[in-house]
Every structure is written in structure tokens, then in C-alpha cells.
Amino acid sequence: MRHPRPARSQLAAREELAMQQRPWAVLMVCTGNLCRSPLAEHLALAWFAAALAQADTHPVGAWEPPGCAGGLLVSSAGTQARADRTMHPHAAAILTARGMDPAGFRARRLTPELILANDLVLCATRAQRSAVVGLTPRALRRTFTMREFGRLTSSVRSAGLPEGGVRAIGEYLAAVAWRMRAARQAPSVAADDLIDPVNGDLHAFDECARIIGTALAHPMALLAEGARDTRAARRSPDPPVPDAAGPPSAGPTPRRPRAMARR
């Protein structure tokens, strides 16, 4: 016996629900996936965790990204990476000093499939940004350098964020960054690029981590607003069931502005 096929509207609703439940994925890209992008991957998650916990504004501890609705997933790759290589020892030392465990990290090479699997791609340099778009042209509007993305979203404040969890805020930030980039004259390459510390000492890696933090701490804190909203919604008790004999509803309660709702 054949079962009836779901209507097109039902399929669209299922696809939309599946998308909402998928973590919002960010891919960090550099050359060898040994220095800059692994630092950015781990530090971004740590900044997100710190903001989510309303803790100090410095990276604290390792963060396991949630794998459900309202989650954040950050990974990394390299345009010329040799798969399965371990992180540069100086990068590992920087992360260890900040309370993170880089032991399980392994490098991987950037591929079109990897780009398509992520919602936002943040690169160390403009050249790598061009390489990403060259591999996957449809990623143009969601590919930036790390420093560029931080600069273009620096004026966004939590009071103006949309509701809907991490995914909604992430998509909003990417759209803002794209509009700002299209409307503004690009600064110098030096303002957007993150210098590769691969031949430097530990101080060079520490400076690289500092610049990454300057660029990404604010957008990660904004994304954490969405995760806090999702957690609060899950903790909220179910509304009381109205008495069947009671008066009819007067209509939906007007939605309060975001900033007022948090007071």
C-alpha cells in the first residue's frame, strides 16, 4: 500500500524546522590550519562560552558547542593544509595557558563541501577570502576576514538583535556585515589581514590571539544573546491551560521590545 506523499508545504515546513534545529556553523580559515585558524576556532568558542555564562570577558575553559536548536558550532580548515597535522606548538601553548585543551586538534584542508556545510566563513586574510569565494561563489555574501567581520559588526548592539536563537542572530550579523562592506570603502589590506605568526616566537602568537579576540569577542557575545534566549525559553514553564468555560481570548499579547523584555 502506497502512503500519500507529503504536500509541498509540509516538506518546506520540515526543511525549515530542520534548519532551525541545526547549529549555526562558523568556519575559520587560514593557510595551513596550524596557527591562526585553530586559535580563532578555540578562542571564539571560549568567548562565546564566557559571554553565555556572563563570566569574565576573557576566554575561560574549553567549550563543547551545543548540537541542537540555538547552538553554535565553530571549526577550522586551511587552504593549503596537510590533513591530520597537529597544531603549532606555540598556538597550543597559548590555548593551554588560557585553560583550553588543544590535544585533539587535527588540521584539515579546505574543500567546497566544507564551505557549503557552514553558515559563515571567516578568513585570516583577503587572499584566503578570495580563495573561498573562488571555490564556492555562492559563499560570497557570508565570507569575510576575521578582522573585517569584527569591524563591520562593531556597531551592532544587543537591543537591536532579532529573536530566534543563535541562528537568527548569526544570519542577522552576516547580513549587516555584507551591507556595511558594500556601502563602505574598503580599508587597507593591513587593516583586514591577520599576520601569520608561524615563524615567530611565543609573543607573536600571543599578539595574534589578542587581535583575534579584538575582532571576535563582540560578535561572539552577540551570538550568546541568542543562546541565552533559547535556554530561557526552554526553562519557562508551560502556560496554564485556560478553563474551557472561561472567556474567549482577547487576542495575542502585544510583543514587548527586546530590551524591555529582559528587565
Side-chain angles (χ1 to χ4, degrees):
M1 178 179 178
R2 290 187 176 182
H3 296 283
R5 297 179 63 183
R8 186 177 297 273
S9 59
Q10 292 177 321
L11 290 174
R14 291 178 184 177
E15 291 175 357
E16 182 178 357
L17 179 61
M19 177 62 72
Q20 292 173 350
Q21 292 177 337
R22 184 172 67 85
W24 198 66
V26 181
L27 180 67
M28 305 295 184
V29 175
C30 69
T31 303
N33 197 206
L34 301 176
C35 305
R36 292 167 291 181
S37 58
L39 282 173
E41 172 187 343
H42 287 76
L43 291 171
L45 287 171
W47 280 104
F48 177 82
L52 183 59
Q54 295 181 322
D56 294 335
T57 56
H58 293 282
V60 289
W63 171 251
E64 292 292 336
C68 55
L72 175 69
L73 180 65
V74 183
S75 61
S76 62
T79 57
Q80 301 176 30
R82 292 166 55 188
D84 296 327
R85 293 185 66 185
T86 57
M87 193 184 305
H88 191 289
H90 286 345
I94 292 295
L95 295 177
T96 301
R98 287 162 169 76
M100 288 165 271
D101 182 10
F105 178 85
R106 293 296 182 272
R108 58 180 179 170
R109 195 177 186 93
L110 183 70
T111 64
E113 293 76 17
L114 195 53
I115 296 168
L116 290 173
N118 283 269
D119 302 292
L120 178 69
V121 183
L122 299 180
C123 305
T125 68
R126 287 186 187 176
Q128 290 153 4
R129 185 185 71 186
S130 297
V132 168
V133 176
L135 284 173
T136 311
R138 73 175 75 175
L140 173 64
R141 291 174 177 260
R142 53 187 178 86
T143 303
F144 307 87
T145 75
M146 300 173 198
R147 299 179 73 180
E148 176 187 32
F149 188 73
R151 183 182 71 253
L152 295 176
T153 59
S154 62
S155 62
V156 178
R157 295 294 178 263
S158 59
L161 294 174
E163 295 183 352
V166 173
R167 173 165 293 279
I169 292 177
E171 291 174 350
Y172 174 76
L173 292 177
V176 167
W178 170 254
R179 289 197 303 268
M180 296 290 283
R181 186 168 75 185
R184 292 183 177 182
Q185 183 176 359
S188 65
V189 173
D192 277 349
D193 282 7
L194 182 62
I195 296 175
D196 192 349
V198 65
N199 294 319
D201 56 12
L202 192 61
H203 174 75
F205 279 78
D206 190 59
E207 177 64 10
C208 181
R210 185 194 66 78
I211 295 173
I212 291 171
T214 300
L216 299 184
H218 179 63
M220 289 301 113
L222 294 175
L223 288 170
E225 293 281 339
R228 278 199 291 267
D229 285 351
T230 302
R231 288 186 174 185
R234 288 175 179 168
R235 287 195 296 264
S236 298
D238 293 334
V241 178
D243 189 341
S249 172
T253 302
R255 190 174 183 178
R256 292 184 294 171
R258 183 184 182 91
M260 294 178 61
R262 286 208 176 105
R263 290 178 183 174

